[in-house]
Amino acid sequence: MNDIPEKSLESVTQLAMQFLAEAVGQCPAGLERSGNQDVVFAVVGFQYGAVQSAAYVAGLGAEAWNGIAGEVIARINGMEQAMVAQFLSVMPMLARKEYPPISIGGQAIIRFYNAATDEEKLTAAASLSEILRQIDEG
């Protein structure tokens, strides 16, 4: 990761934080304290997918996006690094199994980044809220 321009790492981190703060802001209050495993995995999977997609578009490899994902997920959710590491250890397996929140998060951040209007940005960020609504109904 030492040969990756610091500017790329900072740009991806900043974009991910902006997008995920908007996405989490549209979700029910108390989300960060949810004890529902499905909700927690959906949120972290969505966040992981968003960071992975942003890093990929920026030309960063897996080592870089895992580092960024760890930092971003810890900051957004107020999680300890040990807890984040546990989640990150299962995310590649979930991605291989095409866990929907990961791919939805990856697509949503690209739509957010390419949005021409604030309304389009809000629609992209609302993807996480939609996932959680479906979990509640299921």
Side-chain angles (χ1 to χ4, degrees):
M1 222 162 69
N2 295 336
D3 60 343
I4 297 170
E6 191 68 27
K7 188 173 181 176
S8 293
L9 294 172
E10 288 175 25
S11 296
V12 170
T13 301
Q14 183 178 17
L15 172 62
M17 289 295 294
Q18 179 187 5
F19 169 70
L20 294 173
E22 184 70 40
V24 170
Q26 294 187 36
C27 292
L31 178 65
E32 68 281 356
R33 293 182 304 277
S34 176
N36 182 328
Q37 286 274 76
D38 291 339
V39 168
V40 173
F41 271 92
V43 169
V44 173
F46 180 89
Q47 294 168 343
Y48 178 81
V51 172
Q52 182 183 36
S53 187
Y56 178 79
V57 168
L60 303 178
E63 183 180 337
W65 80 53
N66 277 325
I68 294 168
E71 177 185 342
V72 168
I73 290 169
R75 287 172 51 188
I76 284 286
N77 301 308
M79 289 181 176
E80 297 292 326
Q81 284 296 329
M83 178 68 78
V84 172
Q86 289 177 349
F87 281 110
L88 290 181
S89 71
V90 299
M91 286 299 145
M93 179 268 302
L94 291 174
R96 282 190 304 277
K97 290 184 174 188
E98 299 179 6
Y99 182 57
I102 294 174
S103 60
I104 293 168
Q107 294 164 4
I109 196 168
I110 299 302
R111 286 194 319 272
F112 181 87
Y113 178 76
N114 290 323
T117 66
D118 286 343
E119 184 178 330
E120 290 173 354
K121 284 187 177 193
L122 288 173
T123 299
S127 300
L128 177 58
S129 185
E130 178 61 22
I131 292 169
L132 298 178
R133 184 189 64 74
Q134 290 176 14
I135 290 171
D136 281 345
E137 290 177 356

